[in-house]
């Protein structure tokens, strides 16, 4: 298998195809950097920075400090307990690939802040190139506008912060592109790295399983036996790595519930300590946010997701991208408690941009893109910028 299959357009190969994604990436980083710099100058002293921090310090607040702890100290074998005797917030909630790579960069003499941001910026550039290729495969003709929507989206500043999102999106885009091109060897390599960067292994296993069923019932005769077994193997591989971090946490701490208890500690500030029952976090969370109106909100969210993924505008987008989005949304529905971090957790549904890129006419496209850019400072202000006892976690 040639590396070129994942780095060059397969159909109608164009010279210097990378210029478009490179230009879009550069413009997007200038926009996000300008917004972040403006807010950094107005940042008051907080738990992570002094007043008016420089851009690097401002870009490594919040959970970036947990990644710093992992990079410098690793993971605890004894979990901290809160005053009620439950497991408290700790480093096991943050997977190892991003902080370990940043630690490697620190060997060059870079401080943590510089290494973390450099890693995210480099990953975001690579993501722009791979995502452009993915969009060209999923929805030919829409790749430029789709990539612009992603790189200038309201959450685009995250792509250069001390978080693992840029690296995860790069690995996810590579995984989806390998799937689309049937470059199975790449999946065996990318899945473990992706699953140890951000949670995604279980969602990918579900997406592959849905694709298997779709092909089985639609055209079984055109579904080669070798490919069936390949998908079964990859689904099992993705499932294994989807539980990989839970297994590692269990071995290190000696407790089967340690990882789950760690994750639940973050939502206890909202609804107290509760057991995780799949598919209940969203009803519980929406009731906490909106009271008796929560069923209407839930119905609206489900209706919007169905409309985006099943409507006629979605049919021109490759099935792999749509199945991934469906599987990932089902994964979030099963385990995620909705709060201010939800917007960031939705970044992996970026293939939806290929559907939104179908919008016409030109003025509507311009308005959509302008809205994306205008919402960047809104997200920074409400989620990233620290304002006293700030509970709007990014």
């Amino acid at each position: 298998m040639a590396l070129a299959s994942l780095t060059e357009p397969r159909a109608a190969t164009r010279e210097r195809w990378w210029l478009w994604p490179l230009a879009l990436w550069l413009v997007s980083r200038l926009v996000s950097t300008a917004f972040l710099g403006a807010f950094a100058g107005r940042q008051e002293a907080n738990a992570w920075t002094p007043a008016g921090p420089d851009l690097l310090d401002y870009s490594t607040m919040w959970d970036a400090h947990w990644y710093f702890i992992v990079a410098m100290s690793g993971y605890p074998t004894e979990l901290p307990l809160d005053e009620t005797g439950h497991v408290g917030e700790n480093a096991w909630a943050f997977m190892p690939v991003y902080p370990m790579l940043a630690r490697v960069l620190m060997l060059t003499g870079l401080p943590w802040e510089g290494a973390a941001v450099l890693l995210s910026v480099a990953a975001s550039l690579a993501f722009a190139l791979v995502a452009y290729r993915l969009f060209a495969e999923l929805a030919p003709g829409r790749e430029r506008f789709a990539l612009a929507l992603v790189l200038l989206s309201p959450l685009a500043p995250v792509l250069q912060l001390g978080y693992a999102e840029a690296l995860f999106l790069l690995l996810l885009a590579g995984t989806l592109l390998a799937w689309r091109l049937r470059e199975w060897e790449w999946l065996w390599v990318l899945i473990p790295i992706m699953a140890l960067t951000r949670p995604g292994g279980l969602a990918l296993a579900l997406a592959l399983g849905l694709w298997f069923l779709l092909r089985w019932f639609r055209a079984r005769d055109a579904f080669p036996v070798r490919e069936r077994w390949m998908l079964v193997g990859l689904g099992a591989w993705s499932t294994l790595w989807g539980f990989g971090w839970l297994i590692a946490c269990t071995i290190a701490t000696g407790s089967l519930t340690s990882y789950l208890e760690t994750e639940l500690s973050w939502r206890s500030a909202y609804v107290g300590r509760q057991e995780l029952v799949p598919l209940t976090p969203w009803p519980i969370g929406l009731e906490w946010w909106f009271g008796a109106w929560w069923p209407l909100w839930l119905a609206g969210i489900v209706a919007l997701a169905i409309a985006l993924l099943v409507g006629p505008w979605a049919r021109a987008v490759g099935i792999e991208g749509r199945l991934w989005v469906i599987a990932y949304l089902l994964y979030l529905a099963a385990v995620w408690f909705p709060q201010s971090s939800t917007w960031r957790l939705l970044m992996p549904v970026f293939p939806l941009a290929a559907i939104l890129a179908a919008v016409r006419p030109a003025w509507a496209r311009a308005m959509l893109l302008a809205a994306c850019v205008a919402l960047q400072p809104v997200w920074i202000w409400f989620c990233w910028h620290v304002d006293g006892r700030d509970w709007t976690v990014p």
Side-chain angles (χ1 to χ4, degrees), residues 8 30 40 59 124 150 159 174 207 210 229 235 256 263 300 341 355 358 362 379 390:
E8 295 180 2
L30 290 174
S59 299
S124 71
V150 175
L159 296 175
L210 291 173
W229 283 110
L256 182 61
E263 291 290 354
S341 294
I355 298 174
W379 179 83
D390 199 329

Side-chain angles (χ1 to χ4, degrees), residues 4 11 19 36 62 89 132 135 155 173 184 250 259 275 291 303-305 325 330 343 345 354 360 364 369:
L19 285 176
L36 288 169
W62 296 99
E89 298 175 1
Y132 184 82
F135 285 135
L155 274 293
W184 307 119
T250 298
Y259 178 71
E275 297 295 326
L304 176 61
V325 172
L330 288 173
W343 305 112
L345 269 289
R360 295 289 189 277
L369 202 57

Side-chain angles (χ1 to χ4, degrees), residues 184-197:
W184 307 119
E185 295 90 343
W186 277 103
L187 288 173
W188 294 103
V189 175
L190 289 171
I191 285 173
I193 306 172
M194 183 187 77
L196 294 178
T197 302

Side-chain angles (χ1 to χ4, degrees), residues 314-332:
R315 293 172 190 159
V317 177
I319 189 65
E320 296 85 358
R322 285 182 284 153
L323 287 178
W324 160 255
V325 172
I326 291 170
Y328 185 75
L329 290 178
L330 288 173
Y331 169 77
L332 289 186

